[in-house]
C-alpha cells in the first residue's frame, strides 16, 4: 500500500494460530466494525445463524465470549471458524489487524507488530540487526515530521552502538537529552505497578516476586542485543505520540522503564529457576506488553509519573 512503512522484520510475521499459547481470541472483548457487521448481516446459511446467535448488539456490536472467555468462533483446534469457512477477508477489522498497530502522520502511516502477541514478540526480540525503518520520501513529510524522524533515527543509532554495554547506552542517551530516570529501587517499581489495573494473575505474582527479591541485577551482557531490540520497539511504537502531546522525554523514559522492568523480571526468573531462556524472556515481554502497553490507563499513568520527573 502507498505511503505505508514497516520495520525491517515485518514481512516475516505469521500468526501461529492453533499452537499459540496466548491466543488473542481468548480473553479479549472483540468489537465488530460497522462495515463488517453489515457484511455479516448479508450472508445466509449456517454461518449466518451462528453469527446472529453469537453477536451482542448492546453498545458496539461484539462477539459474546464463551467459557474461559473464548471467542465463539475459536474451535477446539484453536483455529478460527470464520477464516476456515470464508477466508481472512471476512474477519472484522480488529481481528484482521491484530497484532498490528499503526502510527499516523500527515501523509503516511507506520505499521508495527505489537509485543503482546507471542509470535510478534519472538520475531522482534530475536532480530540480530539493529532496528531499521526504510527512509520516507521527504515530500511526504511536514517540517515537524522531518525533525521528528531525525531525532528518532538518532535514538536508534545511539541505542545500537554495540561497542558499549546496553546500560551505558541508555544512560548516555538520557543524559544527552537532559532527562533523568526516576530513582527507584526494583521494590519501589514493583509497588508502583502493583497499584495498576491488571488482567492476568501471573503478572501480580511476578511483581510480588520482584518485590521480595534481593539484589536484582541486569540479566547479563549476553542479553544486550535483546534489550536493544526491546527498547527500539518501545521507541518505535510510542515516541511518535510526542508529535501530538509533546511528551518526548516522558516517552523515552517510558521505553526505558519498560526495558528495565522486563530485565528486572528476567533477572528474578533467572534467580528462581537458575536459567534464563529466550522463550522465558519473550513471555515476560509479552506479559508486560499486554498488562501495560495494551492498557491505555496504565500507559497514561506511567507517562504522567514520568511527567513529574521533569
Ligand atoms: S497472539 Fe499472535 S500468534 Fe497468537 S493467535 Fe493472536 S496473532 Fe496469532
Amino acid at each position: 500500500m502507498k505511503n505505508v512503512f514497516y520495520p525491517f522484520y515485518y514481512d516475516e510475521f505469521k500468526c501461529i494460530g492453533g499452537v499459540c499459547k496466548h491466543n488473542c481470541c481468548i480473553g479479549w472483548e472483540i468489537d465488530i466494525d460497522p462495515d463488517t457487521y453489515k457484511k455479516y448481516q448479508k450472508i445466509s446459511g449456517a454461518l449466518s445463524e451462528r453469527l446472529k446467535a453469537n453477536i451482542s448488539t448492546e453498545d458496539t456490536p461484539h462477539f459474546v465470549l464463551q467459557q474461559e472467555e473464548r471467542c465463539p468462533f475459536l474451535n477446539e483446534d484453536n483455529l478460527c471458524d470464520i477464516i476456515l469457512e470464508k477466508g481472512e477477508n471476512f474477519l472484522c477489522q480488529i481481528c484482521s489487524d491484530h497484532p498490528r498497530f499503526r502510527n499516523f502522520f500527515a501523509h503516511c502511516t507506520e505499521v508495527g507488530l505489537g509485543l503482546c502477541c507471542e509470535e510478534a514478540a519472538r520475531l522482534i526480540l530475536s532480530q540480530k540487526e539493529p532496528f531499521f525503518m526504510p527512509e520516507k520520501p521527504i515530500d511526504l513529510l511536514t517540517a515537524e515530521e522531518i525533525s521528528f524522524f531525525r531525532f528518532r533515527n538518532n535514538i536508534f543509532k545511539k541505542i545500537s552502538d554495540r561497542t558499549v554495554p546496553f546500560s551505558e547506552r541508555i544512560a548516555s542517551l538520557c543524559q544527552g537529552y537532559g532527562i533523568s530516570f526516576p530513582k527507584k529501587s526494583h521494590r519501589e517499581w514493583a509497588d508502583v505497578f502493583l497499584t495498576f489495573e491488571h488482567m492476568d494473575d501471573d503478572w501480580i505474582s511476578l511483581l510480588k516476586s520482584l518485590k521480595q527479591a534481593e539484589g536484582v541485577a541486569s540479566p547479563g551482557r549476553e542479553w544486550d542485543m535483546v534489550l536493544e531490540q526491546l527498547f527500539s520497539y518501545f521507541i518505535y511504537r510510542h515516541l511518535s505520540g510526542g508529535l501530538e502531546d509533546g511528551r518526548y522525554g516522558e516517552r523515552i523514559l517510558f521505553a526505558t522503564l519498560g526495558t528495565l522492568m522486563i530485565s528486572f523480571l528476567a533477572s528474578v526468573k533467572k534467580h528462581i529457576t537458575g536459567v534464563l531462556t529466550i522463550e522465558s524472556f519473550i513471555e515476560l515481554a509479552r506479559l508486560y506488553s499486554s498488562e501495560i502497553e495494551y492498557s491505555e490507563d496504565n500507559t497514561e499513568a506511567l507517562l504522567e509519573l514520568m511527567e513529574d520527573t521533569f
Side-chain angles (χ1 to χ4, degrees):
M1 209 188 296
K2 245 174 101 189
N3 303 350
V4 180
F5 298 86
Y6 307 86
F8 67 108
Y9 49 71
Y10 183 86
D11 287 342
E12 288 174 53
F13 176 74
K14 193 153 180 24
C15 168
I16 54 171
V19 294
C20 178
K21 287 198 286 291
H22 302 277
N23 196 303
C24 54
C25 312
I26 302 172
W28 301 83
E29 183 122 311
I30 305 160
D31 287 345
I32 303 163
D33 55 287
D35 286 349
T36 307
Y37 186 61
K38 271 190 219 145
K39 197 155 70 175
Y40 287 175
Q41 286 179 311
K42 282 185 191 150
I43 61 158
S44 55
L47 183 63
S48 162
E49 293 308 315
R50 261 185 90 187
L51 285 165
K52 274 189 203 127
N54 287 290
I55 292 175
S56 162
T57 48
E58 257 179 57
D59 303 324
T60 309
H62 57 274
F63 293 116
V64 181
L65 298 183
Q66 309 290 294
Q67 250 189 344
E68 295 174 350
E69 302 199 306
R70 290 172 70 89
C71 171
F73 291 91
L74 187 66
N75 67 24
E76 283 173 0
D77 299 323
N78 277 350
L79 296 173
C80 171
D81 281 341
I82 295 180
I83 297 183
L84 293 175
E85 198 158 321
K86 289 278 190 185
E88 294 205 2
N89 289 342
F90 213 69
L91 290 176
C92 62
Q93 194 65 45
I94 288 183
C95 292
S96 50
D97 270 1
H98 190 82
R100 294 158 190 86
F101 63 85
R102 289 179 172 74
N103 289 329
F104 296 101
F105 301 91
H107 307 293
C108 63
T109 303
E110 286 186 340
V111 180
L113 299 167
L115 203 64
C116 80
C117 156
E118 65 183 60
E119 187 55 17
R122 193 169 290 120
L123 183 64
I124 292 165
L125 299 179
S126 60
Q127 295 303 315
K128 303 280 181 267
E129 295 300 314
F131 184 87
F132 166 78
M133 281 294 290
E135 284 290 319
K136 296 168 186 63
I138 207 140
D139 58 349
L140 281 184
L141 305 175
T142 64
E144 195 186 4
E145 287 169 357
I146 291 171
S147 310
F148 167 75
F149 287 118
R150 272 197 202 122
F151 166 54
R152 196 181 68 178
N153 283 344
N154 208 20
I155 295 178
F156 290 141
K157 193 165 162 222
K158 285 185 174 150
I159 211 63
S160 57
D161 175 5
R162 294 175 182 173
T163 60
V164 287
F166 179 76
S167 55
E168 286 177 27
R169 289 179 235 165
I170 286 267
S172 100
L173 186 87
C174 290
Q175 198 182 18
Y177 290 117
I179 49 181
S180 50
F181 191 73
K183 284 194 174 38
K184 285 189 196 297
S185 67
H186 64 275
R187 290 200 177 92
E188 290 169 315
W189 279 121
D191 276 333
V192 170
F193 281 82
L194 279 165
T195 64
F196 292 171
E197 65 173 17
H198 78 280
M199 295 192 303
D200 189 334
D201 290 343
D202 284 355
W203 173 241
I204 296 299
S205 308
L206 269 169
L207 291 175
K208 287 184 177 162
S209 307
L210 179 63
K211 202 177 155 174
Q212 282 159 10
E214 299 286 339
V216 172
S218 90
R221 271 210 74 181
E222 66 274 27
W223 289 89
D224 274 11
M225 207 187 296
V226 179
L227 297 178
E228 173 193 316
Q229 299 296 353
L230 186 57
F231 181 81
S232 301
Y233 160 82
F234 283 128
I235 290 292
Y236 177 59
R237 179 159 195 166
H238 296 281
L239 195 68
S240 61
L243 282 163
E244 277 186 18
D245 63 18
R247 296 187 291 182
Y248 294 107
E250 291 85 337
R251 289 170 188 280
I252 293 173
L253 292 177
F254 176 85
T256 306
L257 177 60
T259 311
L260 186 75
M261 274 304 281
I262 295 166
S263 66
F264 277 163
L265 296 170
S267 161
V268 171
K269 191 107 193 162
K270 190 173 175 181
H271 186 73
I272 295 171
T273 61
V275 61
L276 178 63
T277 62
I278 184 69
E279 281 304 315
S280 52
F281 193 100
I282 287 165
E283 170 52 15
L284 292 170
R286 184 206 64 77
L287 191 55
Y288 180 92
S289 173
S290 66
E291 293 289 338
I292 305 301
E293 268 194 308
Y294 278 74
S295 156
E296 275 180 31
D297 288 350
N298 290 348
T299 298
E300 186 53 35
L302 284 179
L303 287 172
E304 279 173 18
L305 194 146
M306 297 308 180
E307 234 169 69
D308 295 343
T309 67
F310 286 88

